[in-house]
Amino acid sequence: MQELTIHFNNSEVFSHLRSGIRSYLHQSIPSNPTIIEVAFNEAVNNAVKHSKNAGNPTVTVAVRVKERKRLLIRVKDQGCGFPAYETMNRLNDAYSQSLPDELLMKESGRGLMIMNQVMDKVIYNKQGNEVLLMKRL
């Protein structure tokens, strides 16, 4: 099992993190790593944006490939979180009642929908400040 864990709290490290994760995904995932990279970026963007320390967010990212069969990405911030299940239910209702283009033009919620469309499973902790993305490879 390969694992990579990074803690970061500034934009320079954030830039290096994206580059490193991109390389890691392209080396570890046999097919279509780019779309998974998009889901990863959405999770990290949300963590940075909503972290309690807005001026200097601290985010923890752990990426693990288990037996070349399953990818696990965990992203956690120090923020107060959000009501993940209520928000996802509202977004799913809106998605079923609206045109996808309308939802894509909204200011927020798009990243949550992207993560749910790309990954096999998306799980939030109770506080709403940690997300686990899972994908079968």
Side-chain angles (χ1 to χ4, degrees):
M1 171 174 40
Q2 298 175 329
E3 183 170 339
L4 172 66
T5 302
I6 299 172
H7 307 277
F8 69 95
N9 64 357
N10 68 47
S11 60
E12 183 179 333
V13 175
F14 183 47
S15 175
H16 291 297
L17 171 71
R18 283 182 190 272
S19 177
I21 294 294
R22 180 181 302 116
S23 295
Y24 182 79
L25 291 175
H26 284 267
Q27 290 172 9
S28 302
I29 299 173
S31 63
N32 206 4
T34 303
I35 194 70
I36 295 170
E37 183 183 344
V38 170
F40 162 77
N41 282 333
E42 291 297 336
V44 173
N45 287 342
N46 286 344
V48 170
K49 180 178 178 182
H50 299 291
S51 183
K52 183 182 357 183
N53 306 323
N56 194 15
T58 299
V59 176
T60 302
V61 175
V63 179
R64 186 177 354 171
V65 177
K66 293 179 84 170
E67 301 171 5
R68 297 186 185 260
K69 293 182 182 179
R70 191 172 2 152
L71 172 69
L72 304 170
I73 300 173
R74 186 178 305 272
V75 179
K76 183 174 185 176
D77 65 64
Q78 302 302 312
C80 60
F82 75 108
Y85 295 105
E86 293 171 23
T87 302
M88 287 311 303
N89 286 337
R90 270 197 318 272
L91 287 172
N92 287 333
D93 288 345
Y95 190 76
S96 67
Q97 296 172 9
S98 301
L99 296 173
D101 290 343
E102 291 174 21
L103 289 172
L104 291 175
M105 296 307 290
K106 290 190 175 189
E107 189 65 31
S108 66
R110 183 176 42 233
L112 300 176
M113 294 304 292
I114 290 171
M115 288 186 288
N116 277 286
Q117 292 296 315
V118 169
M119 305 304 284
D120 294 324
K121 201 173 247 189
V122 178
I123 302 172
Y124 298 92
N125 69 351
K126 186 174 182 178
Q127 187 175 338
N129 68 340
E130 180 177 4
V131 63
L132 175 64
L133 307 173
M134 295 190 283
K135 181 80 172 168
R136 284 187 250 16
L137 303 176

